[in-house]
Amino acid sequence: PTAGLGLAFFILTTILSLMGMQNPYRRREVLYLLSTFGLMGTGVAVAFTTYSLGVLNSLCLFCLASHLLTFFIFIISFILVKKEKEQAFKAITQIFMDKEEAGKAKLAHNPQMFKSLAYFSIGILAVSVFGTYLYNKPEESVHADVDQSQFIASFENLPKFDFDIGEAPTKGAKNPLIQIMEFSDFQCPACQYAFKQINPLVRRYAKEIQLVYRHYPLDMACNDQIKRPLHTEACLASKAAICAKRQKGDKGFFDFHDRIFLDQNRLSPKFIDQVARELKLDKSQFDNCLKDSSVTTLIQRDIQAGNELGVQATPTRFVNGKKLEGGLDRARLEALLDHFRSKAKATKKTKSN
């Protein structure tokens, strides 16, 4: 929804700028509208930046850039408005006048400024669309240019953690070359991106890769590390996934897991009930399970395990016991798979000799 609002803002800015560039009778009115929307956009940008720094303790550089550009649009339009002598209200109402009457208020502004604002907004839209394309691109990794040999070398130097996965749900190989233990959050956008990157490979190499899911919802309802409302449906989603596992085992868990990540933007109590029906879970058992305190206890055990392993964000992955701080995209996972295949062959050859 936030991205949609930003996209709508820049579309509106583009339309207004084109109106000002093409229609000399409406330039004053367009300027007032641009400055008004620019002020509103700047207020929203300040609020989001404050929230990102104060609550999330992180800042998206692309978001920051778009906030600064919003402020730039406001400043430019405001400076032009200041040069006008007529009142804002009167100028805006002239939008509804006929062309002849509005012509009396015709501005002497050079349309070049409107053209610049229009091109400026169109550029932002193009970058946004391209960024969305990269984010959702199904087959190619945005990290395809990573030096995989350097990545493998750094991976080998990482310390190895010892841990017990207990009864955590698993998917894929029983005796894997690669075990990926992931601390995740069903409402986390980065976790959804990780799902899109890794899940196809887990399916493709189901005899070599094992995925282990550990709960780490960034939701104060079950995670005492979170002090403010953040992912407010994450605890409920984790409970529902555990309840699916209780009825249909690990397969039921990952059927639920996949369904939620495929439609993460729909996550809500109503959608969770819908998924439960789609998976043909017993409604009475499912509802009673959601209220079971032992389900919350299981989630909190995973959170505690994550805290002990130094988890500070989601997703956090441990590949064969080694904690990966950076992203694990398809290219890197395939590089790791090739690496461990080579190691397995070398070990087998040594034993045969």
Side-chain angles (χ1 to χ4, degrees), residues 69-87:
L69 295 175
T70 301
F71 180 66
F72 176 78
I73 290 173
F74 165 65
I75 290 297
I76 293 298
S77 56
F78 181 75
I79 289 173
L80 291 175
V81 167
K82 288 288 287 184
K83 294 180 180 180
E84 297 304 317
K85 296 180 180 180
E86 297 201 19
Q87 298 297 318

Side-chain angles (χ1 to χ4, degrees), residues 275-306:
V275 175
R277 289 194 301 272
E278 290 175 2
L279 299 181
K280 295 180 170 54
L281 301 180
D282 182 275
K283 174 66 173 172
S284 178
Q285 290 184 36
F286 184 74
D287 289 343
N288 289 333
C289 177
L290 290 177
K291 301 173 186 176
D292 191 337
S293 61
S294 67
V295 175
T296 302
T297 300
L298 287 175
I299 296 171
Q300 291 173 339
R301 285 178 184 170
D302 274 0
I303 293 170
Q304 179 61 33

Side-chain angles (χ1 to χ4, degrees), residues 24-126:
Y25 299 100
R26 302 299 186 196
R27 286 181 190 151
R28 177 183 289 112
E29 298 92 315
V30 168
L31 277 177
Y32 279 111
L33 286 173
L34 276 173
S35 62
T36 300
F37 284 117
L39 179 60
M40 293 169 60
T42 300
V44 172
V46 170
F48 280 141
T49 302
T50 302
Y51 184 80
S52 297
L53 293 175
V55 178
L56 304 182
N57 295 317
S58 63
L59 188 62
C60 161
L61 293 180
F62 179 81
C63 301
L64 179 61
S66 67
H67 296 337
L68 292 174
L69 295 175
T70 301
F71 180 66
F72 176 78
I73 290 173
F74 165 65
I75 290 297
I76 293 298
S77 56
F78 181 75
I79 289 173
L80 291 175
V81 167
K82 288 288 287 184
K83 294 180 180 180
E84 297 304 317
K85 296 180 180 180
E86 297 201 19
Q87 298 297 318
F89 180 77
K90 181 180 177 182
I92 292 176
T93 57
Q94 286 176 340
I95 291 177
F96 304 101
M97 297 177 181
D98 58 38
K99 189 172 182 180
E100 181 179 352
E101 186 176 357
K104 298 175 184 177
K106 180 178 177 181
L107 297 182
H109 289 313
N110 189 321
Q112 184 62 39
M113 178 58 70
F114 289 97
K115 185 183 295 186
S116 299
L117 282 173
Y119 291 159
F120 183 71
S121 299
I122 291 171
I124 294 297
L125 285 173

Side-chain angles (χ1 to χ4, degrees), residues 17 25 49 66 140 142 181 190 198 249 266 287:
S17 300
Y25 299 100
T49 302
S66 67
E140 295 182 15
V142 295
M181 185 176 74
I198 302 304
R266 298 176 61 192
D287 289 343

Side-chain angles (χ1 to χ4, degrees), residues 232-297:
T232 55
E233 306 293 348
C235 287
L236 178 60
S238 284
K239 289 179 181 180
I242 291 172
C243 293
K245 180 178 185 290
R246 287 188 174 181
Q247 287 195 41
K248 296 202 171 185
D250 286 359
K251 183 181 185 305
F253 177 92
F254 279 102
D255 285 345
F256 184 92
H257 165 281
D258 294 359
R259 187 72 177 87
I260 292 298
F261 277 128
L262 285 171
D263 282 306
Q264 189 188 64
N265 62 318
R266 298 176 61 192
L267 184 57
S268 67
K270 183 177 179 180
F271 181 61
I272 286 173
D273 284 342
Q274 177 186 324
V275 175
R277 289 194 301 272
E278 290 175 2
L279 299 181
K280 295 180 170 54
L281 301 180
D282 182 275
K283 174 66 173 172
S284 178
Q285 290 184 36
F286 184 74
D287 289 343
N288 289 333
C289 177
L290 290 177
K291 301 173 186 176
D292 191 337
S293 61
S294 67
V295 175
T296 302
T297 300

